[in-house]
Amino acid sequence: MDAALFQQLNRIYAPLRGRAVRLTRLLAEFQLSREAALAFDWGQLPQDAEVYGVEQYPMDFYTAGMDRAGIAGRIAESTEQAVNAALSFPPDAPDDTLLAAAENCRRWKSGDKP
């Protein structure tokens, strides 16, 4: 790491020294190209997943409470060339749950079938 970057990070994190940082959520995330996102079976995602744009990351294609069936249509109406999807877990989620989520993200990104 170069010295300038180290100094910048040190300035950002210095106020946190000696304080506990409490994680409230863990995320497993994967990214799909526009083409892959339009063809993806979004019904595979858990209800509390989030799907959002890469270039316009505040643009939500799906959050809890939205219709998952409309994800591909919302993506098609956008100009996004890539889409991120995130699975959210409590910090005390069991290891096997997190490992399964990581494997699903790898599989979904690569286009492998279950």
Side-chain angles (χ1 to χ4, degrees):
M1 176 183 307
D2 80 358
L5 178 59
F6 178 79
Q7 289 173 348
Q8 184 177 6
L9 290 172
N10 195 36
R11 279 192 300 275
I12 292 169
Y13 292 107
L16 297 176
R17 282 195 194 111
R19 295 188 177 157
V21 176
R22 192 174 82 141
L23 297 176
T24 58
R25 301 299 292 168
L26 299 174
L27 295 177
E29 186 177 57
F30 65 100
Q31 188 174 106
L32 297 173
S33 69
R34 178 183 183 82
E35 180 180 286
L38 290 171
F40 188 74
D41 174 10
W42 293 106
Q44 300 176 74
L45 294 182
Q47 292 285 351
D48 62 348
E50 293 184 33
V51 180
Y52 51 93
V54 171
E55 293 94 13
Q56 299 294 322
Y57 61 87
M59 180 181 294
D60 286 329
F61 297 118
Y62 177 78
T63 60
M66 293 174 75
D67 175 24
R68 284 192 294 175
I71 296 173
R74 289 186 286 274
I75 293 168
E77 292 172 0
S78 78
T79 60
E80 290 289 333
Q81 295 304 303
V83 173
N84 280 341
L87 312 178
S88 180
F89 303 92
D92 60 349
D95 291 349
D96 58 338
T97 299
L98 298 174
L99 290 171
E103 176 57 24
N104 282 336
C105 289
R106 184 212 57 80
R107 183 174 48 81
W108 291 331
K109 180 167 177 49
S110 68
D112 292 346
K113 302 294 180 201

